[in-house]
Amino acid sequence: METYESKQKRILKSQATVYEELTDLRNVEKYLQNVPKEMMDKVKDVKFEADCISFNADMVGRVEMKIVDREAPKMVKFGFMGIPVNANLWVQFVGVSEMDTRMKVTIKADIPFMLKPMIGNKLEEGVERFADMLAMTL
């Protein structure tokens, strides 16, 4: 498995608040207007449930991002269904002070050797963009 990590992001909310926002994915829907248009143009038919976000992605089809593990108030782990590789995503939180939380996003993916040159750079860029988007929306 290859590992891709974002830089640490700062969120000006308490660790408990950030964790609670992310553990019920229906809370994330209200922040969609903050997501850059060029990112939203690539996904269609987004559906939010308590433990799952699903959407249609260009060139992939229906993708589900489902919570598979959580450790309050430090971590939420997601599994993916509908993508051509086995992958997981972790969002980790560390409270620095009452209204200062640091967040890091990690993706681990089984990328076939032949596809790594094509996909690896996109995942490095994607994990950073996802972390930026998540930090903006939480």
Side-chain angles (χ1 to χ4, degrees):
M1 277 207 151
E2 298 296 320
T3 301
Y4 303 92
E5 292 182 338
S6 73
K7 294 177 184 158
Q8 202 175 75
K9 308 299 177 184
R10 184 177 185 196
I11 302 171
L12 298 176
K13 293 182 181 178
S14 73
Q15 182 179 1
T17 299
V18 173
Y19 176 82
E20 289 300 320
E21 285 280 314
L22 193 59
T23 55
D24 183 342
L25 296 173
R26 294 172 295 195
N27 293 328
V28 178
E29 184 174 13
K30 64 186 171 194
Y31 297 112
L32 277 182
Q33 70 270 11
N34 296 337
V35 176
K37 184 180 179 342
E38 62 272 7
M39 291 179 89
M40 288 306 298
D41 287 345
K42 296 179 183 189
V43 297
K44 307 282 186 267
D45 192 27
V46 182
K47 293 187 180 168
F48 294 86
E49 298 174 30
D51 288 344
C52 182
I53 295 175
S54 61
F55 53 89
N56 287 320
D58 291 347
M59 298 175 58
V60 178
R62 194 79 187 157
V63 175
E64 287 187 6
M65 189 169 99
K66 186 173 187 156
I67 295 175
V68 294
D69 193 14
R70 47 183 87 151
E71 183 182 338
K74 299 188 256 182
M75 178 274 301
V76 180
K77 179 180 177 183
F78 296 88
F80 290 94
M81 289 174 263
I83 62 174
V85 296
N86 182 23
N88 290 302
L89 180 141
W90 286 261
V91 183
Q92 298 166 303
F93 308 107
V94 175
V96 175
S97 67
E98 188 176 322
M99 295 301 285
D100 185 357
T101 300
R102 304 302 160 99
M103 178 192 73
K104 181 173 80 170
V105 175
T106 303
I107 292 179
K108 289 191 178 186
D110 276 332
I111 302 172
F113 180 75
M114 298 297 285
L115 295 178
K116 189 175 176 190
M118 293 181 284
I119 296 175
N121 291 340
K122 292 185 187 297
L123 278 175
E124 284 178 17
E125 180 183 312
V127 73
E128 197 64 39
R129 292 179 90 192
F130 181 76
D132 286 338
M133 179 199 67
L134 201 52
M136 283 187 327
T137 59
L138 294 174

